Amino acid sequence: MRPASGKSAGRGRHGARWPCPAFADVNRLPADETVTIAWIWEPGEHNGTFRGNNPAFVTATAALETYWRDGVLRERTLIQGGRIERTLRELCSDDLGPGTSYRGRGLVWGLEFQDKERAAAVCRRAFENGLLIETSGPADEVVKLLPSLTISPAELEEGLEILTRSVREAG
């Protein structure tokens, strides 16, 4: 079942007047009336650009219900994000060369090098040391840190130690 209204159906946005033939009857209803239409899809019609991915919807719903039911995950994310920021601040206070900086928040961070070859060298060295990270940015000059929301403090600490060692070894 999918709620729809004549106003929100998006006349003309789909190339036809309505996104599916079932919406044609909406024309006969008052503009403020909400209609529930049962869409019965044929095999293979359940996916598409604007329909999403049903397993992903179910997984996301379960994750939201589980992890965001209280403030524990949010608080842990802020604490761990602070730990990442301290490590990056310490790294940047070392003499890593001109133009080295960091930015981010929560568990999304980047360590930017003016020399993109240095960023690539850090990622290669990190891989050799057992940490999988990658570069990003317009010139691949940023070492991207995106740990899982469910990472344990011990795992985060291990990853930050490997990152620190890799930055120093990549010279």
Side-chain angles (χ1 to χ4, degrees), residues 10-147:
R11 288 186 179 190
R13 292 185 193 168
H14 303 280
R17 186 167 176 161
W18 300 106
C20 74
F23 275 45
D25 291 336
V26 174
N27 278 336
R28 296 199 250 329
L29 298 171
D32 61 347
E33 179 132 0
T34 299
V35 180
T36 300
I37 299 171
W39 287 12
I40 301 173
W41 291 319
E42 296 296 322
E45 289 183 337
H46 65 283
N47 60 12
T49 304
F50 300 106
R51 292 189 193 108
N53 174 324
N54 289 334
F57 292 146
V58 172
T59 302
T61 299
L64 290 171
E65 289 171 352
T66 301
Y67 294 115
W68 297 108
R69 70 175 167 260
D70 54 28
V72 173
L73 183 64
R74 179 183 180 279
E75 187 63 28
R76 189 172 67 209
T77 298
L78 293 174
I79 290 169
Q80 291 180 325
R83 179 64 189 100
I84 295 170
E85 184 175 16
R86 283 190 301 280
T87 297
L88 296 179
R89 185 182 318 117
E90 290 168 10
L91 277 172
C92 286
S93 70
D94 294 347
D95 189 17
L96 295 181
T100 303
S101 62
Y102 68 94
R103 60 185 176 273
R105 133 176 24 165
L107 292 176
V108 178
W109 289 88
L111 179 60
E112 182 176 8
F113 295 94
Q114 190 171 24
D115 176 13
K116 74 175 187 173
E117 297 305 319
R118 177 107 189 258
V122 168
C123 289
R124 275 192 306 277
R125 193 69 193 127
F127 182 76
E128 293 165 2
N129 289 328
L131 179 65
L132 183 60
I133 54 178
E134 62 184 3
T135 59
S136 65
D140 287 331
E141 75 282 11
V142 178
V143 173
K144 182 169 52 171
L145 305 175
L146 295 169

Side-chain angles (χ1 to χ4, degrees), residues 151-162:
I151 191 169
S152 72
E155 291 168 326
L156 180 63
E157 197 61 39
E158 180 183 5
L160 292 173
E161 287 171 7
I162 293 171

